[in-house]
Amino acid sequence: MIRPCASSEFKVIYEIINDAAQAYKGIIPADRWKEPYMAESELRHEMNEGVIFWGYEEGGQLVGVMGLQNVQDVTLIRHAYVRTAKRNQGIGTKLLSFLRGQTARPLLIGTWANAVWAVRFYENHGFRMVSVEEKNRLLKKYWSIAERQVETSVVLADQKWFDLYQSE
Ligand SMILES: CC(C)(COP(=O)(O)OP(=O)(O)OC[C@H]1O[C@@H](n2cnc3c(N)ncnc32)[C@H](O)[C@@H]1OP(=O)(O)O)[C@@H](O)C(=O)NCCC(=O)NCCS
């Protein structure tokens, strides 16, 4: 079942993110890794900035989360995490499909360049990587992240974004 996360679920969202983010350990640049990967204060900040989390519930337990954030003229998919033990069972696909139905705006996703599984996951769902020049521009325009994270990230966009902004 996919449903909006309640504000009372802050702790479980935090747990899922930091459990799933273990996948990044040893993969993303060492200077970007920290434990926990996302501090409570950062998660709180993201929510205050308008990230709306949706959750996938199984047997009464939240097992995956994915956030949507409307920024200017686009929607960003933020913080997509499925519990490590529940990975590769189709939960991320269901969440992504559901979230795509929640917005009419072009969708953008940013992730670590080294997270090849995440890039493949989004590519398998029709997202395409934008050029390096474009991702640098987009990350600065729509995200609030450090310069070092811009360097080590990629951006993927859906067909609607390409139709609107890369039609030439
Ligand atoms: C990326 C992530 C959110 C995807 O969620 P997920 O639930 O594992 O995704 P799915 O199971 O739908 O799909 C993952 C793969 O499992 C495969 N799969 C789906 N259902 C399956 C099943 N029943 N049995 C076996 N494999 C299956 C899919 O083919 C898919 O392969 P692909 O990635 O090459 O397309 C999750 O793996 C995760 O949290 N990873 C760590 C954190 C991360 O990288 N987050 C992304 C940040 S932007």
Side-chain angles (χ1 to χ4, degrees), residues 20-21 23-24 65-66 77 79-83 86-94 109-112 115 117-118 120-122 124-125:
Y24 297 145
V65 295
M66 219 177 260
I77 297 210
H79 312 304
Y81 292 100
V82 172
R83 279 192 194 276
K86 293 287 176 181
R87 227 175 263 160
N88 297 331
Q89 295 174 24
I91 294 170
T93 296
K94 287 182 193 149
I109 299 170
T111 191
W112 297 105
W117 64 85
R120 190 183 54 224
F121 170 73
Y122 295 122
N124 285 344
H125 291 94

PDB file of all heavy atoms in Angstrom, residues 20-21 23-24 65-66 77 79-83 86-94 109-112 115 117-118 120-122 124-125, ligand 1:
ATOM      1  N   ALA A  20      18.837   2.228   4.292  1.00  0.00           N
ATOM      2  CA  ALA A  20      19.027   2.043   2.844  1.00  0.00           C
ATOM      3  C   ALA A  20      20.293   2.736   2.350  1.00  0.00           C
ATOM      4  O   ALA A  20      20.956   2.257   1.427  1.00  0.00           O
ATOM      5  CB  ALA A  20      17.798   2.564   2.089  1.00  0.00           C
ATOM      6  N   ALA A  21      20.646   3.852   2.989  1.00  0.00           N
ATOM      7  CA  ALA A  21      21.811   4.623   2.541  1.00  0.00           C
ATOM      8  C   ALA A  21      23.129   3.902   2.816  1.00  0.00           C
ATOM      9  O   ALA A  21      24.177   4.308   2.312  1.00  0.00           O
ATOM     10  CB  ALA A  21      21.824   6.002   3.192  1.00  0.00           C
ATOM     11  N   ALA A  23      23.958   1.478   1.415  1.00  0.00           N
ATOM     12  CA  ALA A  23      24.375   1.084   0.062  1.00  0.00           C
ATOM     13  C   ALA A  23      25.443   2.030  -0.495  1.00  0.00           C
ATOM     14  O   ALA A  23      26.222   1.649  -1.365  1.00  0.00           O
ATOM     15  CB  ALA A  23      23.158   1.075  -0.870  1.00  0.00           C
ATOM     16  N   TYR A  24      25.484   3.252   0.002  1.00  0.00           N
ATOM     17  CA  TYR A  24      26.425   4.253  -0.521  1.00  0.00           C
ATOM     18  C   TYR A  24      27.825   4.117   0.075  1.00  0.00           C
ATOM     19  O   TYR A  24      28.779   4.690  -0.438  1.00  0.00           O
ATOM     20  CB  TYR A  24      25.954   5.667  -0.181  1.00  0.00           C
ATOM     21  CG  TYR A  24      24.642   6.091  -0.770  1.00  0.00           C
ATOM     22  CD1 TYR A  24      23.788   6.926  -0.051  1.00  0.00           C
ATOM     23  CD2 TYR A  24      24.271   5.713  -2.051  1.00  0.00           C
ATOM     24  CE1 TYR A  24      22.593   7.362  -0.582  1.00  0.00           C
ATOM     25  CE2 TYR A  24      23.067   6.145  -2.595  1.00  0.00           C
ATOM     26  CZ  TYR A  24      22.236   6.967  -1.856  1.00  0.00           C
ATOM     27  OH  TYR A  24      21.059   7.405  -2.381  1.00  0.00           O
ATOM     28  N   VAL A  65      10.398   4.664   1.322  1.00  0.00           N
ATOM     29  CA  VAL A  65       9.893   6.039   1.231  1.00  0.00           C
ATOM     30  C   VAL A  65      10.453   6.702  -0.026  1.00  0.00           C
ATOM     31  O   VAL A  65      11.525   6.337  -0.512  1.00  0.00           O
ATOM     32  CB  VAL A  65      10.287   6.902   2.462  1.00  0.00           C
ATOM     33  CG1 VAL A  65       9.622   6.385   3.735  1.00  0.00           C
ATOM     34  CG2 VAL A  65      11.791   6.988   2.636  1.00  0.00           C
ATOM     35  N   MET A  66       9.707   7.652  -0.533  1.00  0.00           N
ATOM     36  CA  MET A  66      10.165   8.442  -1.674  1.00  0.00           C
ATOM     37  C   MET A  66       9.498   9.807  -1.545  1.00  0.00           C
ATOM     38  O   MET A  66       8.305   9.885  -1.219  1.00  0.00           O
ATOM     39  CB  MET A  66       9.731   7.755  -2.975  1.00  0.00           C
ATOM     40  CG  MET A  66      10.750   7.795  -4.083  1.00  0.00           C
ATOM     41  SD  MET A  66      10.252   6.912  -5.585  1.00  0.00           S
ATOM     42  CE  MET A  66      11.126   5.376  -5.420  1.00  0.00           C
ATOM     43  N   ILE A  77      12.175  14.329  -7.578  1.00  0.00           N
ATOM     44  CA  ILE A  77      12.035  13.116  -6.773  1.00  0.00           C
ATOM     45  C   ILE A  77      13.199  13.135  -5.805  1.00  0.00           C
ATOM     46  O   ILE A  77      14.360  13.222  -6.223  1.00  0.00           O
ATOM     47  CB  ILE A  77      12.040  11.849  -7.651  1.00  0.00           C
ATOM     48  CG1 ILE A  77      10.824  11.925  -8.565  1.00  0.00           C
ATOM     49  CG2 ILE A  77      12.096  10.590  -6.793  1.00  0.00           C
ATOM     50  CD1 ILE A  77      10.209  10.661  -8.997  1.00  0.00           C
ATOM     51  N   HIS A  79      15.096  11.658  -2.186  1.00  0.00           N
ATOM     52  CA  HIS A  79      15.261  10.681  -1.113  1.00  0.00           C
ATOM     53  C   HIS A  79      14.424   9.413  -1.328  1.00  0.00           C
ATOM     54  O   HIS A  79      13.447   9.164  -0.632  1.00  0.00           O
ATOM     55  CB  HIS A  79      14.927  11.326   0.240  1.00  0.00           C
ATOM     56  CG  HIS A  79      15.600  12.644   0.439  1.00  0.00           C
ATOM     57  ND1 HIS A  79      16.971  12.784   0.351  1.00  0.00           N
ATOM     58  CD2 HIS A  79      15.117  13.888   0.663  1.00  0.00           C
ATOM     59  CE1 HIS A  79      17.291  14.057   0.541  1.00  0.00           C
ATOM     60  NE2 HIS A  79      16.186  14.745   0.719  1.00  0.00           N
ATOM     61  N   ALA A  80      14.849   8.642  -2.310  1.00  0.00           N
ATOM     62  CA  ALA A  80      14.196   7.368  -2.616  1.00  0.00           C
ATOM     63  C   ALA A  80      14.941   6.255  -1.881  1.00  0.00           C
ATOM     64  O   ALA A  80      16.111   5.999  -2.175  1.00  0.00           O
ATOM     65  CB  ALA A  80      14.241   7.126  -4.122  1.00  0.00           C
ATOM     66  N   TYR A  81      14.282   5.642  -0.937  1.00  0.00           N
ATOM     67  CA  TYR A  81      14.945   4.624  -0.118  1.00  0.00           C
ATOM     68  C   TYR A  81      14.013   3.477   0.230  1.00  0.00           C
ATOM     69  O   TYR A  81      12.916   3.700   0.742  1.00  0.00           O
ATOM     70  CB  TYR A  81      15.455   5.239   1.198  1.00  0.00           C
ATOM     71  CG  TYR A  81      16.586   6.220   0.973  1.00  0.00           C
ATOM     72  CD1 TYR A  81      16.352   7.604   0.967  1.00  0.00           C
ATOM     73  CD2 TYR A  81      17.879   5.773   0.750  1.00  0.00           C
ATOM     74  CE1 TYR A  81      17.382   8.500   0.741  1.00  0.00           C
ATOM     75  CE2 TYR A  81      18.915   6.668   0.533  1.00  0.00           C
ATOM     76  CZ  TYR A  81      18.663   8.020   0.527  1.00  0.00           C
ATOM     77  OH  TYR A  81      19.691   8.895   0.304  1.00  0.00           O
ATOM     78  N   VAL A  82      14.505   2.263  -0.042  1.00  0.00           N
ATOM     79  CA  VAL A  82      13.776   1.046   0.339  1.00  0.00           C
ATOM     80  C   VAL A  82      14.680   0.294   1.315  1.00  0.00           C
ATOM     81  O   VAL A  82      15.893   0.173   1.082  1.00  0.00           O
ATOM     82  CB  VAL A  82      13.466   0.187  -0.913  1.00  0.00           C
ATOM     83  CG1 VAL A  82      12.896  -1.167  -0.523  1.00  0.00           C
ATOM     84  CG2 VAL A  82      12.488   0.943  -1.822  1.00  0.00           C
ATOM     85  N   ARG A  83      14.103  -0.176   2.383  1.00  0.00           N
ATOM     86  CA  ARG A  83      14.904  -0.906   3.390  1.00  0.00           C
ATOM     87  C   ARG A  83      15.776  -1.955   2.713  1.00  0.00           C
ATOM     88  O   ARG A  83      15.311  -2.662   1.819  1.00  0.00           O
ATOM     89  CB  ARG A  83      13.974  -1.626   4.375  1.00  0.00           C
ATOM     90  CG  ARG A  83      13.430  -0.752   5.470  1.00  0.00           C
ATOM     91  CD  ARG A  83      12.768  -1.631   6.527  1.00  0.00           C
ATOM     92  NE  ARG A  83      11.938  -0.859   7.433  1.00  0.00           N
ATOM     93  CZ  ARG A  83      12.393  -0.216   8.519  1.00  0.00           C
ATOM     94  NH1 ARG A  83      13.677  -0.241   8.812  1.00  0.00           N
ATOM     95  NH2 ARG A  83      11.561   0.439   9.302  1.00  0.00           N
ATOM     96  N   LYS A  86      14.460  -5.265   1.900  1.00  0.00           N
ATOM     97  CA  LYS A  86      13.272  -5.303   1.034  1.00  0.00           C
ATOM     98  C   LYS A  86      13.586  -4.865  -0.397  1.00  0.00           C
ATOM     99  O   LYS A  86      12.682  -4.633  -1.197  1.00  0.00           O
ATOM    100  CB  LYS A  86      12.184  -4.372   1.616  1.00  0.00           C
ATOM    101  CG  LYS A  86      11.635  -4.854   2.933  1.00  0.00           C
ATOM    102  CD  LYS A  86      10.748  -6.056   2.687  1.00  0.00           C
ATOM    103  CE  LYS A  86      10.238  -6.636   3.990  1.00  0.00           C
ATOM    104  NZ  LYS A  86       9.405  -7.821   3.739  1.00  0.00           N
ATOM    105  N   ARG A  87      14.867  -4.731  -0.677  1.00  0.00           N
ATOM    106  CA  ARG A  87      15.286  -4.260  -1.991  1.00  0.00           C
ATOM    107  C   ARG A  87      15.052  -5.304  -3.077  1.00  0.00           C
ATOM    108  O   ARG A  87      14.977  -6.494  -2.784  1.00  0.00           O
ATOM    109  CB  ARG A  87      16.777  -3.948  -1.923  1.00  0.00           C
ATOM    110  CG  ARG A  87      17.110  -2.619  -2.528  1.00  0.00           C
ATOM    111  CD  ARG A  87      18.563  -2.341  -2.314  1.00  0.00           C
ATOM    112  NE  ARG A  87      18.757  -1.502  -1.159  1.00  0.00           N
ATOM    113  CZ  ARG A  87      19.898  -1.392  -0.512  1.00  0.00           C
ATOM    114  NH1 ARG A  87      20.946  -2.099  -0.869  1.00  0.00           N
ATOM    115  NH2 ARG A  87      19.991  -0.579   0.511  1.00  0.00           N
ATOM    116  N   ASN A  88      14.954  -4.835  -4.317  1.00  0.00           N
ATOM    117  CA  ASN A  88      14.817  -5.729  -5.482  1.00  0.00           C
ATOM    118  C   ASN A  88      13.566  -6.607  -5.427  1.00  0.00           C
ATOM    119  O   ASN A  88      13.576  -7.748  -5.868  1.00  0.00           O
ATOM    120  CB  ASN A  88      16.060  -6.616  -5.670  1.00  0.00           C
ATOM    121  CG  ASN A  88      17.281  -5.767  -5.969  1.00  0.00           C
ATOM    122  OD1 ASN A  88      17.169  -4.679  -6.536  1.00  0.00           O
ATOM    123  ND2 ASN A  88      18.435  -6.234  -5.573  1.00  0.00           N
ATOM    124  N   GLN A  89      12.522  -6.053  -4.842  1.00  0.00           N
ATOM    125  CA  GLN A  89      11.254  -6.795  -4.801  1.00  0.00           C
ATOM    126  C   GLN A  89      10.151  -5.991  -5.470  1.00  0.00           C
ATOM    127  O   GLN A  89       8.974  -6.265  -5.296  1.00  0.00           O
ATOM    128  CB  GLN A  89      10.872  -7.111  -3.349  1.00  0.00           C
ATOM    129  CG  GLN A  89      11.856  -8.048  -2.669  1.00  0.00           C
ATOM    130  CD  GLN A  89      11.567  -8.246  -1.190  1.00  0.00           C
ATOM    131  OE1 GLN A  89      10.439  -8.069  -0.718  1.00  0.00           O
ATOM    132  NE2 GLN A  89      12.590  -8.620  -0.450  1.00  0.00           N
ATOM    133  N   GLY A  90      10.548  -4.940  -6.155  1.00  0.00           N
ATOM    134  CA  GLY A  90       9.557  -4.158  -6.897  1.00  0.00           C
ATOM    135  C   GLY A  90       8.953  -2.983  -6.142  1.00  0.00           C
ATOM    136  O   GLY A  90       8.109  -2.265  -6.676  1.00  0.00           O
ATOM    137  N   ILE A  91       9.396  -2.754  -4.906  1.00  0.00           N
ATOM    138  CA  ILE A  91       8.788  -1.688  -4.094  1.00  0.00           C
ATOM    139  C   ILE A  91       9.160  -0.309  -4.639  1.00  0.00           C
ATOM    140  O   ILE A  91       8.299   0.572  -4.783  1.00  0.00           O
ATOM    141  CB  ILE A  91       9.206  -1.841  -2.610  1.00  0.00           C
ATOM    142  CG1 ILE A  91       8.606  -3.137  -2.056  1.00  0.00           C
ATOM    143  CG2 ILE A  91       8.767  -0.628  -1.786  1.00  0.00           C
ATOM    144  CD1 ILE A  91       9.129  -3.549  -0.689  1.00  0.00           C
ATOM    145  N   GLY A  92      10.431  -0.146  -4.991  1.00  0.00           N
ATOM    146  CA  GLY A  92      10.869   1.138  -5.563  1.00  0.00           C
ATOM    147  C   GLY A  92      10.112   1.442  -6.846  1.00  0.00           C
ATOM    148  O   GLY A  92       9.690   2.581  -7.083  1.00  0.00           O
ATOM    149  N   THR A  93       9.915   0.426  -7.667  1.00  0.00           N
ATOM    150  CA  THR A  93       9.172   0.613  -8.928  1.00  0.00           C
ATOM    151  C   THR A  93       7.755   1.093  -8.651  1.00  0.00           C
ATOM    152  O   THR A  93       7.262   2.020  -9.298  1.00  0.00           O
ATOM    153  CB  THR A  93       9.135  -0.730  -9.700  1.00  0.00           C
ATOM    154  OG1 THR A  93      10.474  -1.067 -10.049  1.00  0.00           O
ATOM    155  CG2 THR A  93       8.281  -0.645 -10.947  1.00  0.00           C
ATOM    156  N   LYS A  94       7.119   0.469  -7.676  1.00  0.00           N
ATOM    157  CA  LYS A  94       5.732   0.867  -7.355  1.00  0.00           C
ATOM    158  C   LYS A  94       5.695   2.299  -6.837  1.00  0.00           C
ATOM    159  O   LYS A  94       4.823   3.088  -7.206  1.00  0.00           O
ATOM    160  CB  LYS A  94       5.132  -0.098  -6.320  1.00  0.00           C
ATOM    161  CG  LYS A  94       4.797  -1.446  -6.923  1.00  0.00           C
ATOM    162  CD  LYS A  94       4.150  -2.346  -5.877  1.00  0.00           C
ATOM    163  CE  LYS A  94       4.106  -3.777  -6.396  1.00  0.00           C
ATOM    164  NZ  LYS A  94       4.206  -4.773  -5.340  1.00  0.00           N
ATOM    165  N   ILE A 109      15.485  13.981 -11.239  1.00  0.00           N
ATOM    166  CA  ILE A 109      16.028  13.182 -10.138  1.00  0.00           C
ATOM    167  C   ILE A 109      17.536  13.399 -10.097  1.00  0.00           C
ATOM    168  O   ILE A 109      18.189  13.333 -11.136  1.00  0.00           O
ATOM    169  CB  ILE A 109      15.784  11.673 -10.382  1.00  0.00           C
ATOM    170  CG1 ILE A 109      14.292  11.380 -10.457  1.00  0.00           C
ATOM    171  CG2 ILE A 109      16.447  10.831  -9.300  1.00  0.00           C
ATOM    172  CD1 ILE A 109      13.978   9.977 -10.930  1.00  0.00           C
ATOM    173  N   GLY A 110      18.047  13.652  -8.916  1.00  0.00           N
ATOM    174  CA  GLY A 110      19.502  13.765  -8.759  1.00  0.00           C
ATOM    175  C   GLY A 110      19.988  12.599  -7.923  1.00  0.00           C
ATOM    176  O   GLY A 110      19.333  12.230  -6.942  1.00  0.00           O
ATOM    177  N   THR A 111      21.095  12.029  -8.324  1.00  0.00           N
ATOM    178  CA  THR A 111      21.661  10.970  -7.483  1.00  0.00           C
ATOM    179  C   THR A 111      23.182  10.970  -7.621  1.00  0.00           C
ATOM    180  O   THR A 111      23.732  11.701  -8.449  1.00  0.00           O
ATOM    181  CB  THR A 111      21.049   9.586  -7.802  1.00  0.00           C
ATOM    182  OG1 THR A 111      21.456   8.655  -6.794  1.00  0.00           O
ATOM    183  CG2 THR A 111      21.443   9.052  -9.165  1.00  0.00           C
ATOM    184  N   TRP A 112      23.849  10.174  -6.815  1.00  0.00           N
ATOM    185  CA  TRP A 112      25.311  10.071  -6.887  1.00  0.00           C
ATOM    186  C   TRP A 112      25.705   9.412  -8.196  1.00  0.00           C
ATOM    187  O   TRP A 112      25.143   8.376  -8.564  1.00  0.00           O
ATOM    188  CB  TRP A 112      25.850   9.237  -5.717  1.00  0.00           C
ATOM    189  CG  TRP A 112      25.581   9.842  -4.382  1.00  0.00           C
ATOM    190  CD1 TRP A 112      24.653   9.436  -3.473  1.00  0.00           C
ATOM    191  CD2 TRP A 112      26.246  10.963  -3.795  1.00  0.00           C
ATOM    192  NE1 TRP A 112      24.700  10.236  -2.359  1.00  0.00           N
ATOM    193  CE2 TRP A 112      25.669  11.179  -2.531  1.00  0.00           C
ATOM    194  CE3 TRP A 112      27.280  11.808  -4.213  1.00  0.00           C
ATOM    195  CZ2 TRP A 112      26.088  12.194  -1.676  1.00  0.00           C
ATOM    196  CZ3 TRP A 112      27.688  12.827  -3.362  1.00  0.00           C
ATOM    197  CH2 TRP A 112      27.105  13.010  -2.117  1.00  0.00           C
ATOM    198  N   ALA A 115      26.400   5.744  -7.850  1.00  0.00           N
ATOM    199  CA  ALA A 115      25.299   4.837  -7.469  1.00  0.00           C
ATOM    200  C   ALA A 115      24.696   4.259  -8.756  1.00  0.00           C
ATOM    201  O   ALA A 115      23.583   4.578  -9.155  1.00  0.00           O
ATOM    202  CB  ALA A 115      24.260   5.577  -6.632  1.00  0.00           C
ATOM    203  N   TRP A 117      23.462   1.478  -9.580  1.00  0.00           N
ATOM    204  CA  TRP A 117      22.182   0.763  -9.484  1.00  0.00           C
ATOM    205  C   TRP A 117      21.010   1.742  -9.529  1.00  0.00           C
ATOM    206  O   TRP A 117      19.975   1.432 -10.122  1.00  0.00           O
ATOM    207  CB  TRP A 117      22.133  -0.076  -8.195  1.00  0.00           C
ATOM    208  CG  TRP A 117      22.167   0.785  -6.966  1.00  0.00           C
ATOM    209  CD1 TRP A 117      21.107   1.387  -6.353  1.00  0.00           C
ATOM    210  CD2 TRP A 117      23.338   1.212  -6.240  1.00  0.00           C
ATOM    211  NE1 TRP A 117      21.546   2.155  -5.287  1.00  0.00           N
ATOM    212  CE2 TRP A 117      22.897   2.061  -5.197  1.00  0.00           C
ATOM    213  CE3 TRP A 117      24.692   0.933  -6.364  1.00  0.00           C
ATOM    214  CZ2 TRP A 117      23.777   2.644  -4.289  1.00  0.00           C
ATOM    215  CZ3 TRP A 117      25.562   1.526  -5.454  1.00  0.00           C
ATOM    216  CH2 TRP A 117      25.121   2.360  -4.436  1.00  0.00           C
ATOM    217  N   ALA A 118      21.198   2.907  -8.898  1.00  0.00           N
ATOM    218  CA  ALA A 118      20.117   3.897  -8.875  1.00  0.00           C
ATOM    219  C   ALA A 118      19.933   4.498 -10.271  1.00  0.00           C
ATOM    220  O   ALA A 118      18.807   4.649 -10.752  1.00  0.00           O
ATOM    221  CB  ALA A 118      20.408   4.985  -7.843  1.00  0.00           C
ATOM    222  N   ARG A 120      20.649   3.077 -13.087  1.00  0.00           N
ATOM    223  CA  ARG A 120      20.025   2.034 -13.924  1.00  0.00           C
ATOM    224  C   ARG A 120      18.535   1.902 -13.606  1.00  0.00           C
ATOM    225  O   ARG A 120      17.694   1.779 -14.497  1.00  0.00           O
ATOM    226  CB  ARG A 120      20.739   0.702 -13.692  1.00  0.00           C
ATOM    227  CG  ARG A 120      20.319  -0.383 -14.685  1.00  0.00           C
ATOM    228  CD  ARG A 120      20.993  -1.695 -14.382  1.00  0.00           C
ATOM    229  NE  ARG A 120      20.754  -2.063 -12.984  1.00  0.00           N
ATOM    230  CZ  ARG A 120      21.680  -2.537 -12.148  1.00  0.00           C
ATOM    231  NH1 ARG A 120      22.906  -2.698 -12.556  1.00  0.00           N
ATOM    232  NH2 ARG A 120      21.375  -2.838 -10.906  1.00  0.00           N
ATOM    233  N   PHE A 121      18.219   1.949 -12.330  1.00  0.00           N
ATOM    234  CA  PHE A 121      16.810   1.852 -11.902  1.00  0.00           C
ATOM    235  C   PHE A 121      15.985   2.950 -12.580  1.00  0.00           C
ATOM    236  O   PHE A 121      14.943   2.675 -13.176  1.00  0.00           O
ATOM    237  CB  PHE A 121      16.757   1.978 -10.373  1.00  0.00           C
ATOM    238  CG  PHE A 121      15.382   2.136  -9.782  1.00  0.00           C
ATOM    239  CD1 PHE A 121      14.502   1.061  -9.725  1.00  0.00           C
ATOM    240  CD2 PHE A 121      14.964   3.363  -9.271  1.00  0.00           C
ATOM    241  CE1 PHE A 121      13.230   1.199  -9.171  1.00  0.00           C
ATOM    242  CE2 PHE A 121      13.704   3.517  -8.718  1.00  0.00           C
ATOM    243  CZ  PHE A 121      12.831   2.426  -8.664  1.00  0.00           C
ATOM    244  N   TYR A 122      16.469   4.185 -12.538  1.00  0.00           N
ATOM    245  CA  TYR A 122      15.705   5.280 -13.149  1.00  0.00           C
ATOM    246  C   TYR A 122      15.709   5.162 -14.678  1.00  0.00           C
ATOM    247  O   TYR A 122      14.688   5.437 -15.316  1.00  0.00           O
ATOM    248  CB  TYR A 122      16.263   6.636 -12.706  1.00  0.00           C
ATOM    249  CG  TYR A 122      16.081   6.870 -11.226  1.00  0.00           C
ATOM    250  CD1 TYR A 122      17.161   7.114 -10.390  1.00  0.00           C
ATOM    251  CD2 TYR A 122      14.814   6.836 -10.658  1.00  0.00           C
ATOM    252  CE1 TYR A 122      16.999   7.313  -9.027  1.00  0.00           C
ATOM    253  CE2 TYR A 122      14.639   7.021  -9.292  1.00  0.00           C
ATOM    254  CZ  TYR A 122      15.732   7.261  -8.488  1.00  0.00           C
ATOM    255  OH  TYR A 122      15.552   7.437  -7.146  1.00  0.00           O
ATOM    256  N   ASN A 124      15.794   2.459 -16.377  1.00  0.00           N
ATOM    257  CA  ASN A 124      14.839   1.395 -16.726  1.00  0.00           C
ATOM    258  C   ASN A 124      13.395   1.872 -16.638  1.00  0.00           C
ATOM    259  O   ASN A 124      12.494   1.210 -17.138  1.00  0.00           O
ATOM    260  CB  ASN A 124      15.037   0.176 -15.816  1.00  0.00           C
ATOM    261  CG  ASN A 124      16.276  -0.608 -16.190  1.00  0.00           C
ATOM    262  OD1 ASN A 124      16.822  -0.423 -17.276  1.00  0.00           O
ATOM    263  ND2 ASN A 124      16.746  -1.467 -15.312  1.00  0.00           N
ATOM    264  N   HIS A 125      13.207   2.992 -15.981  1.00  0.00           N
ATOM    265  CA  HIS A 125      11.856   3.555 -15.889  1.00  0.00           C
ATOM    266  C   HIS A 125      11.696   4.786 -16.780  1.00  0.00           C
ATOM    267  O   HIS A 125      10.819   5.629 -16.545  1.00  0.00           O
ATOM    268  CB  HIS A 125      11.512   3.862 -14.434  1.00  0.00           C
ATOM    269  CG  HIS A 125      11.352   2.600 -13.638  1.00  0.00           C
ATOM    270  ND1 HIS A 125      12.373   2.031 -12.922  1.00  0.00           N
ATOM    271  CD2 HIS A 125      10.306   1.758 -13.521  1.00  0.00           C
ATOM    272  CE1 HIS A 125      11.962   0.899 -12.387  1.00  0.00           C
ATOM    273  NE2 HIS A 125      10.704   0.714 -12.727  1.00  0.00           N
TER     274      HIS A 125
HETATM  275  C1  LIG B   1      17.071   2.524  -5.544  1.00  0.00           C
HETATM  276  C2  LIG B   1      15.955   1.903  -4.721  1.00  0.00           C
HETATM  277  C3  LIG B   1      15.083   2.986  -4.098  1.00  0.00           C
HETATM  278  C4  LIG B   1      15.087   1.041  -5.632  1.00  0.00           C
HETATM  279  O1  LIG B   1      14.107   0.387  -4.864  1.00  0.00           O
HETATM  280  P1  LIG B   1      13.834  -1.182  -5.030  1.00  0.00           P
HETATM  281  O2  LIG B   1      12.639  -1.523  -4.249  1.00  0.00           O
HETATM  282  O3  LIG B   1      15.081  -1.939  -4.752  1.00  0.00           O
HETATM  283  O4  LIG B   1      13.489  -1.198  -6.597  1.00  0.00           O
HETATM  284  P2  LIG B   1      12.826  -2.347  -7.455  1.00  0.00           P
HETATM  285  O5  LIG B   1      12.843  -3.637  -6.694  1.00  0.00           O
HETATM  286  O6  LIG B   1      11.541  -1.882  -7.963  1.00  0.00           O
HETATM  287  O7  LIG B   1      13.826  -2.395  -8.664  1.00  0.00           O
HETATM  288  C5  LIG B   1      15.203  -2.639  -8.442  1.00  0.00           C
HETATM  289  C6  LIG B   1      15.636  -3.787  -9.300  1.00  0.00           C
HETATM  290  O8  LIG B   1      15.087  -4.977  -8.798  1.00  0.00           O
HETATM  291  C7  LIG B   1      14.527  -5.724  -9.867  1.00  0.00           C
HETATM  292  N1  LIG B   1      13.307  -6.352  -9.371  1.00  0.00           N
HETATM  293  C8  LIG B   1      12.088  -5.802  -9.260  1.00  0.00           C
HETATM  294  N2  LIG B   1      11.219  -6.707  -8.759  1.00  0.00           N
HETATM  295  C9  LIG B   1      11.933  -7.816  -8.546  1.00  0.00           C
HETATM  296  C10 LIG B   1      11.609  -9.064  -8.043  1.00  0.00           C
HETATM  297  N3  LIG B   1      10.362  -9.368  -7.639  1.00  0.00           N
HETATM  298  N4  LIG B   1      12.595  -9.995  -7.927  1.00  0.00           N
HETATM  299  C11 LIG B   1      13.872  -9.700  -8.316  1.00  0.00           C
HETATM  300  N5  LIG B   1      14.239  -8.508  -8.810  1.00  0.00           N
HETATM  301  C12 LIG B   1      13.288  -7.587  -8.929  1.00  0.00           C
HETATM  302  C13 LIG B   1      14.181  -4.764 -10.933  1.00  0.00           C
HETATM  303  O9  LIG B   1      14.314  -5.358 -12.216  1.00  0.00           O
HETATM  304  C14 LIG B   1      15.146  -3.647 -10.713  1.00  0.00           C
HETATM  305  O10 LIG B   1      16.249  -3.753 -11.564  1.00  0.00           O
HETATM  306  P3  LIG B   1      16.844  -2.405 -12.176  1.00  0.00           P
HETATM  307  O11 LIG B   1      17.213  -1.503 -11.029  1.00  0.00           O
HETATM  308  O12 LIG B   1      17.989  -2.883 -12.970  1.00  0.00           O
HETATM  309  O13 LIG B   1      15.722  -1.793 -12.964  1.00  0.00           O
HETATM  310  C15 LIG B   1      16.535   0.976  -3.596  1.00  0.00           C
HETATM  311  O14 LIG B   1      17.268  -0.054  -4.192  1.00  0.00           O
HETATM  312  C16 LIG B   1      17.389   1.685  -2.571  1.00  0.00           C
HETATM  313  O15 LIG B   1      16.894   2.167  -1.582  1.00  0.00           O
HETATM  314  N6  LIG B   1      18.719   1.735  -2.807  1.00  0.00           N
HETATM  315  C17 LIG B   1      19.669   2.359  -1.906  1.00  0.00           C
HETATM  316  C18 LIG B   1      19.506   3.853  -1.844  1.00  0.00           C
HETATM  317  C19 LIG B   1      19.473   4.484  -3.217  1.00  0.00           C
HETATM  318  O16 LIG B   1      20.319   4.233  -4.070  1.00  0.00           O
HETATM  319  N7  LIG B   1      18.501   5.363  -3.423  1.00  0.00           N
HETATM  320  C20 LIG B   1      18.359   6.125  -4.640  1.00  0.00           C
HETATM  321  C21 LIG B   1      18.653   7.546  -4.328  1.00  0.00           C
HETATM  322  S1  LIG B   1      18.199   8.635  -5.633  1.00  0.00           S
END
